[in-house]
Amino acid sequence: MELRQIRCFAILAEELHFGRAAAALSMAQPALSVQIQALEKELGVQLLIRSTRRVQLTKAGEVFHDRCVRILKELENSAAVAQAIAGKDLNRITIGTIYPATFGVLPLFLNKLGKRFPDIQIHISSGSTDAIIRELEKGRINLGFIRPVDNIGSLRWQSIANERYLLAVPLDSPLASEETITMTDLRRERIISFSRSNLSYTEKYFFEQFRKHDLLDHVACSCDDTLSMVSLVSAGVGVGFVPEWTRDLPNRSFHLREVAGMDFKVGLGLAWNKEDPAANRDEIVEIARSLASVPRPHRLAGAPGEKSDKKARASTSRE
């Protein structure tokens, strides 16, 4: 079995298309077919189901693909270890990130990383916390900015920040001028809530709060993610609780307000695979850890450029 055959199969298993895979490998499509056929013959099993319309992996192909990915990643890691021992700086790093980090700590991290490793190639991959953890475990990304999870397995974790959830209200909402907002006030509003297939801790918390304050009948709309939530609020559809990183969104057209008695926070941190020499480089992890000590300014005014109301100024002065 040749390493070239393993690389060919790994790319084909990702693309599930001979033409695209051949282009990614910079080789002719017939040559790719020859490599795959030789691999199947050597293994004595069928890895792919071919038809005129599609290419599918067999069960054996799925398992073999996972093994190929591990083998190729281990080769990359071995090269990185040798380069690190020789004192050679990193040349590429892949970072997984959820939206809050993209608008929050990620720009500062990239700035510091670029200064320390000016020639490094950086690839950003956005996704959910669960998806990023899977990619870390498979070795496809080096670092991941994610939410805390109950069991992170063999990965390492560094807490960076805790963000409050605030009430997002349309610019013309009567709640924007209220000095104090309570959960009871929401009975006069159309509420937008999150509704994903797998309920997160955050969703369960707000569901219980809505039930506790008899607000379930006032939930008029639901969505899957925070950006959809703020879009609906900006359009005047209703109000909803969102993490405070949304205040950094450009051209924001909604207010963020505190609600009395609601002090829900969600964590954000960095995860990496301890077996990944690129992620485990002390300087990179230390750069990420330094983000935890950077204070984040709090402002509860509405859109950028607006004057803060009394409630917002009082809150800001206390923080």
Side-chain angles (χ1 to χ4, degrees), residues 3 48-49 92 108 152 169 177 207 216 222 251 256 273 291 305:
L3 183 59
L48 300 165
I49 300 173
R92 179 178 173 83
L108 179 59
I152 202 168
V169 302
S177 58
F207 176 84
L216 290 178
S222 63
N251 303 316
L256 290 177
N273 193 326
L291 302 178

Side-chain angles (χ1 to χ4, degrees), residues 163-164 166 242-250 252 254 256 296-302 304 319:
E163 292 188 301
R164 298 174 300 168
L166 303 170
V242 298
E244 61 182 324
W245 65 264
T246 55
R247 70 182 176 208
D248 296 325
L249 290 173
R252 177 162 58 87
F254 56 90
L256 290 177
R296 184 170 178 174
H298 291 282
R299 62 180 185 276
L300 294 182
E319 294 173 342

Side-chain angles (χ1 to χ4, degrees), residues 167 175 178-189 213 215 241 258-262:
L167 184 68
L175 293 179
E178 293 287 341
E179 289 193 6
T180 302
I181 299 176
T182 66
M183 291 294 284
T184 302
D185 293 329
L186 301 190
R187 293 178 182 173
R188 304 193 303 268
E189 304 292 327
H213 294 279
L215 291 170
F241 287 95
E258 290 182 352
V259 175
M262 294 290 290

Side-chain angles (χ1 to χ4, degrees), residues 31-240:
L32 175 59
S33 297
V34 170
Q35 292 289 338
I36 300 302
Q37 289 170 1
L39 181 60
E40 289 181 317
K41 183 177 180 180
E42 183 171 351
L43 293 174
V45 298
Q46 184 179 5
L47 300 174
L48 300 165
I49 300 173
R50 306 162 178 83
S51 71
T52 56
R53 301 183 62 183
R54 61 188 302 187
V55 176
Q56 292 177 281
L57 291 173
T58 63
K59 289 295 183 181
E62 292 176 359
V63 173
F64 188 66
H65 172 242
D66 288 338
R67 298 282 181 172
C68 288
V69 170
R70 294 181 190 179
I71 291 170
L72 294 173
K73 187 60 184 178
E74 184 58 34
L75 285 173
E76 290 181 12
N77 288 347
S78 298
V81 169
Q83 292 167 349
I85 293 174
K88 186 175 180 180
D89 281 345
L90 295 170
N91 56 19
R92 179 178 173 83
I93 188 170
T94 300
I95 301 170
T97 178
I98 58 176
Y99 279 120
T102 303
F103 291 98
V105 299
L106 183 62
L108 179 59
F109 175 72
L110 294 179
N111 180 269
K112 291 188 174 185
L113 186 65
K115 289 179 178 178
R116 172 58 187 87
F117 300 98
D119 298 325
I120 196 171
Q121 294 181 355
I122 301 172
H123 176 69
I124 306 298
S125 177
S126 299
S128 65
T129 290
D130 290 342
I132 291 172
I133 288 176
R134 288 194 298 269
E135 294 297 281
L136 283 168
E137 291 173 337
K138 293 178 180 178
R140 293 177 177 171
I141 64 176
N142 305 108
L143 301 167
F145 288 97
I146 63 173
R147 293 299 190 194
V149 294
D150 293 332
N151 183 10
I152 202 168
S154 61
L155 302 181
R156 299 287 178 87
W157 162 262
Q158 170 67 46
S159 177
I160 292 176
N162 285 289
E163 292 188 301
R164 298 174 300 168
Y165 265 72
L166 303 170
L167 184 68
V169 302
L171 295 180
D172 59 355
S173 169
L175 293 179
S177 58
E178 293 287 341
E179 289 193 6
T180 302
I181 299 176
T182 66
M183 291 294 284
T184 302
D185 293 329
L186 301 190
R187 293 178 182 173
R188 304 193 303 268
E189 304 292 327
R190 289 165 55 88
I191 298 174
I192 307 169
S193 71
F194 291 119
S195 180
R196 304 182 180 95
S197 57
N198 296 316
L199 288 180
S200 66
Y201 174 72
T202 300
E203 291 166 271
K204 291 177 182 177
Y205 173 83
F206 282 108
F207 176 84
E208 287 302 316
Q209 291 298 315
F210 293 154
R211 183 187 60 78
K212 175 181 176 182
H213 294 279
D214 197 25
L215 291 170
L216 290 178
D217 289 341
H218 296 268
V219 176
C221 187
S222 63
C223 58
D224 291 335
D225 60 86
T226 300
L227 292 180
S228 296
M229 173 80 78
V230 297
S231 295
L232 291 169
V233 173
S234 299
V237 174
V239 302

Side-chain angles (χ1 to χ4, degrees), residues 253-270:
S253 55
F254 56 90
H255 291 281
L256 290 177
R257 297 297 309 277
E258 290 182 352
V259 175
M262 294 290 290
D263 188 26
F264 181 76
K265 296 180 180 179
V266 63
L268 175 70
L270 183 81

